[in-house]
């Protein structure tokens, strides 16, 4: 792949009807760079990826270069009747077309060596084929499908019969098989188990093209990224940091401290200048009424003092005006999670849920025995793990009462409230706002204000939920879930799509919440710090 490959953003501006996302953004990505986009939910990570992919048009500025660009589809652009083999063949179609073209042009040049038009076309096709590793494409397709856990699925199986996680992995597989010069990936680690994550990390780290991605997985960001672009508010706008995610964190903390210090120093200087204009500059150092025989001297001296005062006033006003015009804006208060995740259940331990030999045909193998306790120090803290398709989401749905087992039983104690945060959040009415939904959820009961939970920023309270980012919608869903905290909290991939900061705060809250917590997660950072019980599900 050419070392001259680059993707450039010039003075880019983009806004929605109710807010500005970017204003004057400039970035350059070169061959071999693997850049992670980070920031709070709603700052524009997905929007920037769509702009880079030319799926959105900027209000001003432009995006240039990138060569052949591949953008990860969150939903496969195929009809439900399409087979898995159709998706793979479509990913290989352009490569096969170019290889066939090379054969035709090669024969044409063999017959007519002086055909300059054929020679130019052959050169262009050859360059493209080399950049896309075309002669290795069929082997790559097999390796990618195997690495993403798709090789055991019947190639003639309609994609409508695949799980959501399988479809997401198939979309990623199609992109990696095609091997474009620039990869734009929005949350590529969702639905990947450890083996698939390792495969994608190795694949991306070996690419010679451009990779720009957003991810909630800090282990993945550390393993893959050469640079981090922080889209959170900063004095100079979005900031680029060299190095992986762990290095970025140290730079970010230092940057925030400098911003706060600069803001405090400027406030102090502003106060001093305002005081100088209002009081100090007008104060005459020496005064008093003149003696009769000194009136002429007084007039002369007084006039000189007044001129000095005028100069001091003008200088102070000029400094004040310049500082007010160029002052650094106040660092925005970051969202801080401050909610109660589960309801108080008393100190007396009791069993809330009991699973006995429960299974769901084709989705979850029998779970011999699982008890979920609430109350006291014995409250359940359970992490459910397992490969893709093992049935983690299915088990949570059984515990929540949203599925009926095809065999075995799931029993719930009387009066126990169970809440489930699903992976895919959908609202029945996307025109309703977070505040309206929250007010309906609490139904006049005494409850904390929505903003106090640290999940929804004040500026998002009255925006239709349909206009929010995926991560912001998950935050709203969690807020609605804990509007009346359940006794048992079920979390399906709780770190997917939410900011890395909230992920850390949420995990800290899980350690101290009084009720029971059962969560399913692929997140390696979360799993490494987990000190509760674990349930590993075998593949279904």
């Amino acid at each position: 792949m050419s070392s001259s490959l680059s993707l450039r953003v010039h003075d880019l501006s983009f806004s929605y009807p109710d807010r500005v996302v970017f204003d004057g953004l400039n970035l350059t990505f070169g061959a071999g760079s693997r850049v992670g986009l980070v920031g709070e939910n709603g700052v524009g990570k997905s929007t920037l990826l769509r702009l880079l992919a030319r799926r959105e048009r900027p209000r001003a500025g432009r995006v240039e270069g990138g060569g052949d660009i591949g953008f990860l589809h969150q939903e496969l652009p195929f009809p439900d009747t399409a087979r898995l083999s159709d998706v793979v063949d479509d990913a290989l179609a352009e490569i096969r077309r170019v290889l066939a073209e090379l054969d035709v042009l090669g024969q044409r040049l063999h017959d007519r060596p002086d055909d300059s038009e054929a020679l130019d076309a052959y050169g262009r096709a050859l360059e493209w084929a080399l950049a896309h590793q075309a002669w290795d494409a069929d082997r790559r397709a097999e390796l990618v499908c195997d690495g993403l856990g798709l090789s055991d699925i019947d190639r003639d199986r309609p994609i409508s019969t695949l799980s959501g996680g399988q479809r997401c992995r198939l979309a990623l597989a199609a992109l990696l098989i095609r091997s474009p010069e620039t990869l734009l990936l929005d949350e590529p680690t969702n639905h990947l188990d450890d083996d698939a994550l390792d495969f994608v990390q190795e694949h991306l780290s070996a690419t010679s093209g451009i990779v720009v991605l957003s991810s909630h997985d800090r282990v993945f960001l550390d393993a893959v990224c050469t640079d981090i672009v922080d889209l959170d508010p900063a004095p100079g706008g979005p900031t680029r940091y060299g190095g992986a995610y762990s290095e970025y964190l140290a730079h970010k903390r230092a940057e925030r401290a400098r911003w706060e210090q600069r803001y405090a120093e400027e406030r102090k200087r502003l106060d001093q200048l305002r005081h100088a204009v209002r009081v100090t500059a007008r104060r005459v150092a020496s005064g008093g009424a003149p003696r009769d025989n000194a009136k002429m001297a007084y007039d002369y001296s007084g006039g000189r003092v007044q001129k000095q005062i005028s100069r001091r006033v003008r200088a102070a006003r000029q400094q004040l005006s310049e500082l007010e015009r160029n002052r650094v804006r106040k660092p925005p208060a970051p969202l801080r999670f401050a909610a109660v995740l589960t309801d108080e259940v008393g100190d007396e331990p009791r069993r809330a849920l009991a699973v006995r030999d429960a299974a769901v045909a084709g989705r979850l193998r029998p779970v011999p025995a699982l008890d979920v306790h609430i109350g006291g120090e014995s409250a359940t803290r359970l992490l459910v793990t397992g490969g893709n398709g093992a049935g983690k989401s299915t088990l949570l749905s059984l515990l929540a009462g949203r599925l009926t087992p095809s065999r075995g039983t799931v029993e719930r104690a009387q009066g126990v409230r169970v809440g489930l945060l699903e992976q895919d959040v959908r609202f029945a009415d996307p025109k309703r706002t977070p505040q309206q939904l929250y007010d309906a959820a609490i139904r006049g009961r005494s409850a904390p204000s929505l903003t106090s939970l640290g999940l929804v920023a004040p500026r998002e309270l009255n925006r239709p939920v349909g206009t929010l980012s995926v991560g912001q919608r998950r935050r709203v869903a969690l807020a609605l879930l804990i509007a009346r905290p359940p006794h048992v909290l079920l979390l399906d991939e709780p770190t997917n799509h939410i900011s890395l900061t909230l992920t850390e705060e949420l995990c800290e809250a899980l350690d101290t919440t009084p009720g029971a917590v059962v969560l399913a997660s692929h997140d390696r950072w979360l799993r490494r710090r987990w000190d509760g019980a674990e349930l590993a599900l075998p593949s279904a």
Side-chain angles (χ1 to χ4, degrees), residues 96 131 375 534:
R96 288 170 175 165
E534 293 189 29

Side-chain angles (χ1 to χ4, degrees), residues 431-465:
K431 294 181 180 179
R432 302 192 75 186
T433 68
Q435 189 64 65
Q436 290 171 334
L437 292 169
Y438 189 73
D439 290 343
I442 62 177
R443 291 190 182 90
R445 294 191 310 272
S446 175
S449 68
L450 179 53
T451 52
S452 71
L453 301 180
L455 290 168
V456 181
R459 64 180 179 277
E460 314 296 350
L461 290 178
N462 297 305
R463 287 181 58 201
V465 290

Side-chain angles (χ1 to χ4, degrees), residues 503-514:
T503 293
E504 191 161 340
E505 293 169 348
L506 182 59
C507 290
E508 291 175 359
L510 292 175
D511 293 336
T512 58
T513 194

Side-chain angles (χ1 to χ4, degrees), residues 173-185:
L175 191 59
L176 298 184
I177 291 169
R178 188 162 73 81
S179 189
E181 293 171 291
T182 295
L183 283 166
L184 304 176
L185 309 174

